[in-house]
Amino acid sequence: MGDSIMSYNGSAIVVMVGKNCVGIASDRRFGVRQQTVATDFQKIYKMHDKLFVGLSGLATDAQTMYEKLKLRLNLYKLREERDIKPSSFSHLIASMLYERRFGPYFVEPLIAGLEGPENKPYICGTDLIGAPVFTNAFWSPELAQNLVRHVRDFVASGFGARGFVEVMAQCLLSAVDRDCLSGWGAVVNIITPD
């Protein structure tokens, strides 16, 4: 892990696309390096019924980022009188992070949602200066070594919503079992058109 500020509090977040659904999962541990402080820390936030964001990185910056996102989303909803689309939300996050590129928030957001009336699965990840990346599976950088082989095997299978919960949980738990800076339970959220 090293002494990276991004792994100071430890985190494990996974976002995957299933068949007509999208899922986001995280561990529950909050720690300071190798010391566990709490086992009920929230890393995934519901923005609305079809949009979730996971914030990995420094816990204080993640909480600040969430509060700022809540404010911006409330202003958007007042002005537009509708919920924000996941693609627009990812651009909002990217611009917020890029505004602070010289003194960044040490968070790497992972966005999961269903887009438009056809409920097309949408996931996006950004780095700490807001550069977006689009693919069919993401994980927080702290898990890269332990998770990549598990996720790639399951993403190709295209599970439906029922089997997808188990797949995401097992991928996350098998990765955090090999990492002392994450773990202590997991939360899995599946977003379906229903």
Side-chain angles (χ1 to χ4, degrees), residues 79-150:
R79 186 176 54 240
E80 299 291 328
E81 297 179 354
R82 62 184 168 98
D83 287 328
I84 194 167
K85 296 187 303 185
S87 58
S88 300
F89 183 71
S90 66
H91 292 296
L92 171 69
I93 286 181
S95 68
M96 285 176 65
L97 290 171
Y98 191 72
E99 283 174 5
R100 296 190 47 97
R101 65 191 174 277
F102 299 117
Y105 291 122
F106 293 105
V107 295
E108 292 183 334
L110 298 174
I111 300 133
L114 296 176
E115 177 116 3
E118 64 278 351
N119 291 310
K120 181 180 169 194
Y122 178 92
I123 63 172
C124 175
T126 70
D127 63 4
L128 53 111
I129 60 167
V133 178
F134 305 96
T135 186
N136 58 357
F138 284 104
W139 46 86
S140 53
E142 293 82 15
L143 288 181
Q145 297 296 328
N146 299 329
L147 192 63
V148 69
R149 66 185 78 86
H150 300 293

Side-chain angles (χ1 to χ4, degrees), residues 155-177:
V155 166
S157 303
F159 283 91
R162 288 182 186 257
F164 197 49
V165 173
E166 187 67 26
V167 167
M168 289 205 59
Q170 290 305 316
C171 284
L172 181 68
L173 291 175
S174 65
V176 300
D177 283 347

